[in-house]
């Protein structure tokens, strides 16, 4: 009882996030904060230092386990049974998380990060994430967006501010603001993005994302547009 009392945080003014585990990536939905609209992203969360955070945990397919060893103990994410964790990061920094329950082929490639930022920096990040995707400013990026919409990509991915509203894969509205792609598997740069789009199943066998072979000019335009999604 004492243990529980000690570990109970004052949770007034907490930040609320809904996190869902998928094979093999993490979706984080930031619920409305001070009446600001919700937004969704994948794998790279930010939280303000010193403010309590409540994350509701869900699993979409099989059992996963939320684990950020330097912030909190493990918590299972069980399909059909929602749980929550509460924590507060008192020190700024990037805290690495990892799925801690075997969840299939790519269990080892199911990482995420929680970056604890000073409050003003967090607020600026959140304001940016709430924005829809930047409009393409040149013909190449515009063509890249058309490639994305006309291929299967838009069936699985959302890019807010465009016609892409798929919900099977990660929200890509601010893809270029992330350090990694595919849940910590690859650094987010043009070469890795190209390899991922053409043949994700060699990089992460078992992923449901299919490879897409595109004429080189279309692939280049698509990459240019994806890099504008800051
Ligand atoms: C059948 C659904 C599906 C289709 C079609 C699809 N994707 Fe994906 N995509 C996914 C899933 C699921 C993931 C997450 C994979 C993982 O991390 O394990 C993903 C991941 C990604 C990522 C990495 C995102 C991140 O933040 O980690 C990018 C970029 C991406 N897809 C781009 C594309 C593009 C471009 C196309 C079209 C050429 C496309 N996808 C087609 C399902 C799909
Ligand atoms: Cu997992």
């Amino acid at each position: 009882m004492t243990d529980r009392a000690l570990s109970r945080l004052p949770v007034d003014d907490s930040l609320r996030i809904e996190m869902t585990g998928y094979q093999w990536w993490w979706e984080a939905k930031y619920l409305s904060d001070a009446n600001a609209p919700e937004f969704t992203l994948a794998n790279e969360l930010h939280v303000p230092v010193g403010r309590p955070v409540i994350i509701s945990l869900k699993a979409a397919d099989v059992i996963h386990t939320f684990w950020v060893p330097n912030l909190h103990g493990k918590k299972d994410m069980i399909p059909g049974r929602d749980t929550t964790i509460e924590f507060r990061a008192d020190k700024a920094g990037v805290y690495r998380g990892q799925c801690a329950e075997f969840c299939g082929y790519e269990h080892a490639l199911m990482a995420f990060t929680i970056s604890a930022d000073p409050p003003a920096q967090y607020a600026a990040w959140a304001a940016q994430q709430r924005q829809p995707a930047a409009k393409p400013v040149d013909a190449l990026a515009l063509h890249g967006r058309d490639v994305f919409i006309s291929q299967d990509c838009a069936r699985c991915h959302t890019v807010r501010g465009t016609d892409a509203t798929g919900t099977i894969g990660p929200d890509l509205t601010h893809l270029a603001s992330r350090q990694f792609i595919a849940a910590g598997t690859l650094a987010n740069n043009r070469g890795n993005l190209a390899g991922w789009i053409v043949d994700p199943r060699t990089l992460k066998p078992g992923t449901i994302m299919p490879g897409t072979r595109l004429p080189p000019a279309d692939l280049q335009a698509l990459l240019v547009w994806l890099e504008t999604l800051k």
Side-chain angles (χ1 to χ4, degrees):
M1 295 286 271
T2 307
D3 221 27
R4 268 187 221 171
L6 281 173
S7 70
R8 189 161 301 143
L9 271 179
V11 288
D12 305 340
D13 185 37
S14 53
L15 174 67
R16 288 180 169 266
I17 302 171
E18 249 174 44
M19 199 156 168
T20 307
Y22 290 88
Q23 285 174 313
W24 293 275
W25 59 283
W26 311 82
E27 180 174 82
K29 181 164 154 195
Y30 281 64
L31 302 181
S32 181
D33 188 9
N35 291 325
E38 302 181 343
F39 59 93
T40 300
L41 56 93
N43 307 322
E44 294 183 24
L45 289 76
H46 288 242
V47 300
V49 168
R51 188 171 162 200
V53 180
I54 304 180
I55 307 188
S56 341
L57 301 172
K58 298 169 190 288
D61 35 42
V62 299
I63 303 179
H64 302 277
T65 291
F66 177 99
W67 191 35
V68 188
N70 289 338
L71 286 177
H72 199 282
K74 294 177 183 174
K75 193 96 177 196
D76 284 345
M77 304 166 88
I78 300 166
R81 217 172 89 193
D82 297 354
T83 49
T84 57
I85 61 159
E86 298 167 3
F87 66 85
R88 193 182 65 207
D90 289 328
K91 209 171 134 196
V94 179
Y95 298 87
R96 187 186 158 93
Q98 180 71 42
C99 183
E101 177 72 36
F102 180 74
C103 59
Y105 290 123
E106 303 305 331
H107 164 63
L109 296 181
M110 188 170 168
F112 65 106
T113 54
I114 297 187
S115 173
D117 304 334
Q121 195 181 321
Y122 168 78
W125 172 85
Q128 171 66 15
Q129 295 290 322
R130 281 186 197 103
Q131 299 294 317
K135 292 255 178 301
V137 290
D138 59 47
L140 195 59
L142 196 64
H143 178 58
R145 189 187 64 182
D146 292 345
V147 170
F148 187 88
I149 302 293
S150 61
Q151 294 290 331
D152 255 0
C153 323
R155 188 166 62 81
C156 291
H157 294 285
T158 290
V159 178
R160 282 175 275 132
T162 74
D163 292 338
T165 54
T167 53
I168 294 169
D171 185 307
L172 302 179
T173 309
H174 295 289
L175 171 70
S177 72
R178 301 202 272 271
Q179 306 280 307
F180 293 93
I181 56 170
T185 306
L186 298 162
N188 187 2
N189 58 42
R190 188 175 290 195
N192 285 339
L193 271 178
W196 176 259
I197 290 166
V198 172
D199 190 9
R201 290 178 183 168
T202 294
L203 297 162
K204 212 166 169 178
T207 178
I208 60 164
M209 175 161 154
T212 305
R213 295 202 180 269
L214 293 165
D218 286 355
L219 179 60
Q220 286 307 320
L222 175 60
L223 293 167
V224 165
W225 178 63
L226 289 173
E227 286 173 354
T228 68
L229 302 177
K230 296 254 159 51

